[in-house]
Amino acid sequence: MRLVKLATFAASLTALPLLAAATQAVPYFPNSQYQSDAASVQQLLGHNFGERISEPADISRFFEQLASRYPNRIKLVPYGKSWQGRPLFYAVIGNAENMSNLANIEAGMRQLANPAQLSAPEAKQLIASLPASVWIASSLHGNEISPADAAMALAYHLLADQSALTTQILSNTLVYIDPLQNPDGHHRFVSRYYATVGLEHSPDRLSAEQNEPWPNGRTNHYLFDMNRDWISLTQPEIASRVKVLQQMYPLIFVDSHEMGGDMGYYFSPEAEPYNPHIQANQRTVLDKVGQNNAKWFDELGYSYFTREIFDAFYPGYGASWPLYYGSVSMTYEMASARGHHYRLQDGSILTFADGIQRNFVAFKATLESASNNATELLQNFYQYRVRAASQGEKDGIRSYIFAAERDRAGHQKLMGVLTQHGIAVEQAQEAFRACGKQYQAGSYVIRTNQPSYHLMRTLLDDTVPMDKAFIAKQEQRRANNLPDQIYDVTAWSLPLMYNLEMQSCNQAPRVASNLVGPETILAGNVTNPDAKYGFVVPWGDMAAARFLSVALQQGLSLRSSDLPFTHQNGKQYPAGTLVLSRADNAADLTARVTEFARQSGALVEGLDTSWVTEGPNFGSFNVPAVPAVNIAMLWDEPTNPLSAGSARFVLERGINYPVTAIRPAQLRNADLSRYQVLVLPATGRGSYQQALGSAGQQNLRQFVERGGVLITLGNATSWLLEGENPLLASKREYQVSEQEKPAKEARVPGKVLAEQTEFEQMLKPYQADPDWVPGFIANARADENHWLTAGIAPQLRSLYVGNQIYQPLRISDGRNVVNFAGPKELLAGGFVWEENRQQIAHKPLVMVQAHGRGQVIAFTQEPNFRAYVDGMHLLYINAVFRGAAHAGALR
């Protein structure tokens, strides 16, 4: 075919006027040689790159057309669907030879990932024969728009360009392109953006185009920031991606994002701190990739920066998770035009086309790095897996053991999630002894001599330590009133967040066991289904909560015991246990209970008599009826989208119970008589005081006094303290300080400062908020005598983020139902400033205060944070359903 050599331009697109930038050839790479008969982007897409932000459907059609035109060089693979049903797919691009052998290549990568099943000569042969692989993941945040179009530009370029560099890359590299990781959020952004556009696109940062309405396009349908979900796998978009990545184990993973419009371009290496489970040779490759990107950015006149932000410590980013299977993964961040163009602080115009072009160049440069270092990447991947398994044999921890003596559903979910991560989990089929403790059959064992060793340690250890020098630097910054550089939470231990007990053992027990599958919910069952009296469902896990949900929605009548009790059959049942009598339900109770148990995973027991030998009888006022409640939740400004989304998700997807979203403006005078429960998520920008005003506050007070349950999450609790007659008789605390109230006089008595610490103390204000805590896991104690904690373990773990600390309620005003542990026991995992540790100790995590026939339940921290603090979810569900059972709303 005749080749057409494109003209070279090296000037930065950012410096060009809008119309000129829109007419430039995008994508551009030096010395490209496009086929003369290649279809134009205009023909395939309907417009040139940069002229319009592509919708999810446009992106799908574009790739389908490429696959139709180049069937032997590109393959489209669907791998899941978003919450709203939009397809998730990736494209694989390579030369004809590699594409014809794709199945064998991916099978070879899976072999290389399991070195125990591979001899050294076989591994050497695979390393010599396999190509490198790069996964380009675009637009995980839906309003980060240029990566998705840049992914299309890269695919077009690789298929139409026949330059020497592209030919070299495709000769030994497979390119996986995941063009749109968040189609729901992206559609939300694009549709709203074009709804605001007038005669011309405005570059003004005050314009409607540049200011998205709530909840903006960053998040998915349930308003999750999916760039934090890679450890918990709560969202289908991420869980599907984790599953498919283990089919081919790409050697380089690029997570392409956007950032503030004035910030330029960022690529690897990442900022400190690094997670200690990231290996030295991985960091070496990150440097190599960054240097090669810099070479091309320099040639084209594009500015960039590295290392200053976006650390590699938290493992829940897309750019982090692949590191722990042995890949090299990285974040790319392009300054965002957040539309067609954006006026920078220096007055120049940043365009959407600029973002596409710079991302495209970074992608192409990264492919060159992979091609040039293919053998090294393969060797590093194999050695990572070999050494990881070996390190698991040599380190002090040979196994992790879960006794699984309570919370059957929580254990099943966690083991399923770990299995989805590629970690082998075994369930013992017999009793055994290890590390001085006897374990029952059904206990779980995770052996550390696995290639997933570093991921295992990262997910299971209480704390992954940060570098001491980095912490010292942060303390110094605090002393100078500078913000810390800790980018995200410092703790994420899944056993702690699930509130499950785990033992680290220096032995690998020998016990007959079965491998656990990826299922997170197993079918429940009913014992004694023909029982004469009825049925009980022991309370204490999410399976019982799912049973409650479906039973209420299907019209069953049930009660829940506030106290534990012992039945005539000799068995003890925990507080919260559900009671369903035949007398109160229809004749088909057995069939319905059996089906609900199967769906929910609950273990249901039939009782022939109601006789209780200890504790309340089933007709006692201590065994109230649980109503089928209508739940309302504040939705829209000023609620924090992440808080609202996770609070709704835990109810709707955790236990399948519907929630009605209501905008704050409607609550000022709304008739709330149809609702029994109202949830106020944490706030983001603005406050409930502004949004609801005095009329809204009075309406909610009346809602509570009539018998409603008002639940506040996180910083929404501070709204309860507002006004002359607050709904919660607590107070927020200032930071503990020895500073005296400033004198009004211009001169004060002199003072000798003998130590630097005295000088630093004088710098502190008289009254200031406590320092912000990036996030640690805190121990807390539950009041087991209160109905809200029914079925809850006496010790809870909560993620603590922020700086709001509340005084306990006086006993005359209400109850402090869950309190943080003392200062020595407070820290369960992660890092917290010493002053905060001392001040948070013994303060309330959950408070309850009655008003009239209803009550306020205040969570001072988010029980649903990212929906991954599973051990707090049942307490939240208790607040909803048991709260309503203990309120006096007329129904």
Side-chain angles (χ1 to χ4, degrees):
M1 290 182 185
R2 187 169 64 89
L3 302 178
V4 179
K5 190 168 184 176
L6 296 182
T8 301
F9 75 94
S12 169
L13 289 176
T14 300
L16 296 173
L18 171 64
L19 293 178
T23 59
Q24 291 292 339
V26 177
Y28 169 77
F29 204 86
N31 302 314
S32 296
Q33 296 179 330
Y34 288 135
Q35 301 168 8
S36 59
D37 59 351
S40 69
V41 173
Q42 176 78 37
Q43 290 172 311
L44 297 172
L45 190 58
H47 55 82
N48 291 318
F49 290 125
E51 292 180 350
R52 186 171 180 84
I53 306 165
S54 299
E55 276 271 21
D58 298 329
I59 295 170
S60 295
R61 281 193 296 269
F62 181 81
F63 275 93
E64 287 164 2
Q65 291 189 70
L66 290 180
S68 176
R69 289 173 180 269
Y70 303 94
N72 64 335
R73 296 178 56 205
I74 179 173
K75 179 181 179 182
L76 304 186
V77 182
Y79 68 89
K81 287 187 177 181
S82 70
W83 281 118
Q84 294 177 8
R86 292 187 173 87
L88 302 169
F89 72 94
Y90 65 86
V92 197
I93 297 175
N95 65 15
E97 180 182 355
N98 283 335
M99 290 303 295
S100 66
N101 196 34
L102 181 62
N104 290 331
I105 290 171
E106 293 183 345
M109 285 303 300
R110 293 193 294 274
Q111 286 181 286
L112 209 58
N114 289 281
Q117 307 298 320
L118 207 60
S119 69
E122 289 171 331
K124 185 176 181 180
Q125 173 62 28
L126 281 172
I127 290 169
S129 63
L130 289 172
S133 52
V134 179
W135 186 287
I136 305 292
S138 294
S139 297
L140 184 63
H141 297 139
N143 59 0
E144 297 176 1
I145 51 179
S146 66
D149 276 68
M152 291 193 291
L154 177 66
Y156 176 81
H157 174 83
L158 292 174
L159 293 169
D161 177 46
Q162 293 192 338
S163 68
L165 179 55
T166 297
T167 301
Q168 172 209 314
I169 288 170
L170 296 181
S171 70
N172 72 341
T173 305
L174 285 173
V175 183
Y176 294 84
I177 299 176
D178 190 351
L180 186 56
Q181 300 181 83
N182 181 3
D184 294 352
H186 191 71
H187 170 73
R188 186 189 312 135
F189 172 84
V190 177
S191 62
R192 291 182 174 193
Y193 174 80
Y194 283 115
T196 66
V197 174
L199 183 63
E200 295 181 348
H201 295 277
S202 172
D204 193 330
R205 59 185 72 200
L206 296 177
S207 67
E209 288 120 296
Q210 298 295 335
N211 292 275
E212 298 176 68
W214 191 97
N216 74 46
R218 178 181 179 90
T219 53
N220 71 344
H221 171 76
Y222 268 102
L223 309 188
F224 275 66
D225 183 339
M226 293 190 291
N227 205 31
R228 304 297 185 272
D229 190 54
W230 286 72
I231 59 176
S232 52
L233 310 184
T234 66
Q235 303 305 295
E237 297 92 337
I238 300 300
S240 300
R241 199 162 293 122
V242 162
K243 181 179 180 180
V244 80
L245 287 173
Q246 294 174 76
Q247 296 302 304
M248 74 288 293
Y249 293 100
L251 298 170
I252 290 181
F253 184 98
V254 175
D255 200 18
S256 184
H257 291 263
E258 286 188 335
M259 55 186 171
D262 295 297
M263 296 183 69
Y265 200 99
Y266 166 89
F267 48 72
S268 60
E270 283 68 23
E272 297 287 348
Y274 273 76
N275 190 300
H277 289 288
I278 298 173
Q279 304 302 294
N281 59 10
Q282 291 175 301
R283 296 184 65 171
T284 298
V285 174
L286 287 170
D287 273 348
K288 282 186 179 181
V289 172
Q291 289 182 44
N292 196 56
N293 290 353
K295 177 190 74 173
W296 288 107
F297 271 53
D298 286 347
E299 179 169 333
L300 293 168
Y302 304 156
S303 60
Y304 66 90
F305 69 98
T306 67
R307 297 186 306 274
E308 295 177 50
I309 51 176
F310 309 121
D311 65 42
F313 185 67
Y314 175 68
Y317 310 131
S320 294
W321 185 85
L323 285 161
Y324 304 103
Y325 70 64
S327 171
V328 176
S329 57
M330 58 206 77
T331 297
Y332 289 177
E333 297 268 358
M334 170 64 202
S336 182
R338 282 294 193 274
H340 279 244
H341 49 289
Y342 178 76
R343 190 181 305 281
L344 303 180
Q345 289 179 341
D346 63 7
S348 62
I349 300 296
L350 175 71
T351 71
F352 176 44
D354 295 339
I356 299 171
Q357 172 63 17
R358 281 160 177 69
N359 280 320
F360 163 73
V361 170
F363 297 165
K364 182 76 182 284
T366 303
L367 298 183
E368 181 186 33
S369 295
S371 178
N372 290 341
N373 299 279
T375 301
E376 178 186 353
L377 291 170
L378 286 159
Q379 183 69 37
N380 285 354
F381 172 77
Y382 172 68
Q383 289 299 330
Y384 177 100
R385 309 283 290 184
V386 170
R387 290 168 182 162
S390 175
Q391 194 167 346
E393 288 279 6
K394 296 175 183 177
D395 279 2
I397 301 175
R398 299 285 304 284
S399 63
Y400 294 100
I401 305 176
F402 293 79
E405 294 170 347
R406 62 169 186 83
D407 196 352
R408 172 179 178 267
H411 279 91
Q412 177 60 42
K413 181 180 178 182
L414 177 56
M415 301 309 146
V417 167
L418 294 175
T419 300
Q420 292 172 35
H421 277 294
I423 296 170
V425 180
E426 303 169 34
Q427 187 169 29
Q429 300 303 298
E430 59 189 8
F432 65 96
R433 188 172 182 81
C435 289
K437 183 176 178 180
Q438 188 71 25
Y439 292 92
Q440 63 185 6
S443 298
Y444 296 95
V445 177
I446 303 173
R447 304 178 193 278
T448 57
N449 61 339
Q450 301 183 39
S452 57
Y453 168 80
H454 292 292
L455 177 61
M456 183 192 312
R457 291 292 306 268
T458 298
L459 297 181
L460 297 181
D461 286 357
D462 290 354
T463 298
V464 175
M466 282 190 289
D467 183 72
K468 292 182 180 179
F470 174 80
I471 292 297
K473 180 181 177 182
Q474 305 318 303
E475 292 285 11
Q476 187 178 38
R477 291 179 65 86
R478 278 206 311 147
N480 287 283
N481 200 30
L482 295 172
D484 66 71
Q485 296 169 313
I486 302 173
Y487 193 73
D488 208 272
V489 297
T490 67
W492 49 81
S493 167
L494 291 178
L496 290 181
M497 294 198 300
Y498 277 65
N499 205 36
L500 302 178
E501 300 308 314
M502 179 190 75
Q503 183 176 8
S504 302
C505 182
N506 62 7
Q507 301 172 11
R510 295 182 179 181
V511 58
S513 60
N514 293 331
L515 279 177
V516 173
E519 299 82 12
T520 56
I521 299 175
L522 294 180
N525 60 67
V526 180
T527 57
N528 191 19
D530 298 323
K532 296 177 182 178
Y533 171 77
F535 302 93
V536 291
V537 183
W539 193 248
D541 65 15
M542 290 292 282
R546 289 189 291 268
F547 182 96
L548 171 67
S549 171
V550 67
L552 291 176
Q553 292 179 76
Q554 293 300 316
L556 294 193
S557 177
L558 50 80
R559 294 176 173 271
S560 176
S561 179
D562 289 346
L563 302 171
F565 62 88
T566 302
H567 189 260
Q568 188 183 48
N569 62 14
K571 295 187 66 173
Q572 294 182 327
Y573 295 90
T577 293
L578 307 178
V579 180
L580 301 93
S581 72
R582 293 193 182 278
D584 290 335
N585 289 282
D588 63 349
L589 181 63
T590 297
R592 301 179 78 186
V593 164
T594 300
E595 175 59 19
F596 299 163
R598 185 192 64 79
Q599 292 177 18
S600 65
L603 301 180
V604 182
E605 301 177 30
L607 299 180
D608 289 316
T609 174
S610 66
W611 190 252
V612 168
T613 59
E614 186 176 350
N617 294 104
F618 298 158
S620 165
F621 61 88
N622 283 312
V623 188
V626 180
V629 298
N630 291 321
I631 306 169
M633 180 177 294
L634 260 65
W635 200 257
D636 211 335
E637 294 282 7
T639 49
N640 181 323
L642 303 178
S643 175
S646 61
R648 189 175 190 177
F649 174 84
V650 168
L651 292 170
E652 290 196 341
R653 298 297 174 173
I655 64 169
N656 305 307
Y657 203 91
V659 173
T660 299
I662 298 179
R663 303 188 195 283
Q666 294 173 290
L667 281 188
R668 289 177 179 265
N669 301 296
D671 177 5
L672 296 174
S673 61
R674 291 186 300 276
Y675 298 96
Q676 291 76 46
V677 179
L678 175 62
V679 179
L680 272 62
T683 58
R685 294 177 296 183
S687 68
Y688 286 134
Q689 187 177 17
Q690 295 171 321
L692 300 176
S694 58
Q697 188 176 38
Q698 181 61 25
N699 195 25
L700 293 191
R701 173 177 287 278
Q702 292 173 358
F703 163 76
V704 174
E705 290 175 346
R706 288 195 303 265
V709 178
L710 179 62
I711 301 171
T712 60
L713 309 178
N715 67 15
T717 296
S718 64
W719 176 79
L720 299 174
L721 314 182
E722 302 286 348
E724 295 181 0
N725 188 20
L727 285 164
L728 189 69
S730 177
K731 300 290 183 184
R732 277 185 60 188
E733 295 186 353
Y734 289 114
Q735 184 183 66
V736 175
S737 175
E738 299 176 3
Q739 280 283 59
E740 298 177 358
K741 188 174 182 179
K744 296 180 180 180
E745 294 79 10
R747 299 185 68 179
V748 296
K751 184 176 182 179
V752 175
L753 302 179
E755 300 289 343
Q756 174 71 15
T757 53
E758 296 181 50
F759 166 75
E760 293 174 356
Q761 181 63 32
M762 288 194 70
L763 301 181
K764 297 180 179 180
Y766 164 58
Q767 289 181 330
D769 288 333
D771 282 347
W772 184 269
V773 175
F776 73 99
I777 299 175
N779 283 315
R781 304 181 306 271
D783 178 354
E784 297 181 78
N785 296 314
H786 196 276
W787 52 259
L788 181 58
T789 64
I792 304 298
Q795 177 171 288
L796 291 171
R797 280 93 175 216
S798 168
L799 203 70
Y800 190 105
V801 178
N803 63 353
Q804 293 197 351
I805 302 173
Y806 292 83
Q807 289 185 344
L809 290 175
R810 291 183 175 86
I811 196 66
S812 57
D813 294 317
R815 294 282 291 277
N816 305 290
V817 178
V818 183
N819 297 312
F820 289 109
K824 292 182 179 179
E825 301 83 25
L826 178 70
L827 182 62
F831 175 82
V832 60
W833 314 117
E834 177 60 22
E835 299 92 333
N836 294 76
R837 183 176 70 85
Q838 296 288 339
Q839 190 174 351
I840 294 167
H842 301 299
K843 299 298 167 53
L845 173 59
V846 184
M847 295 176 277
V848 178
Q849 183 168 342
H851 292 275
R853 295 198 300 268
Q855 56 212 342
V856 170
I857 302 176
F859 289 82
T860 64
Q861 287 290 314
E862 292 265 11
N864 311 305
F865 186 82
R866 297 176 182 169
Y868 63 19
V869 192
D870 283 64
M872 290 289 290
H873 291 172
L874 194 63
L875 189 64
Y876 172 56
I877 290 163
N878 275 0
V880 171
F881 293 98
R882 307 202 85 252
H886 281 268
L890 298 177
R891 290 182 276 275

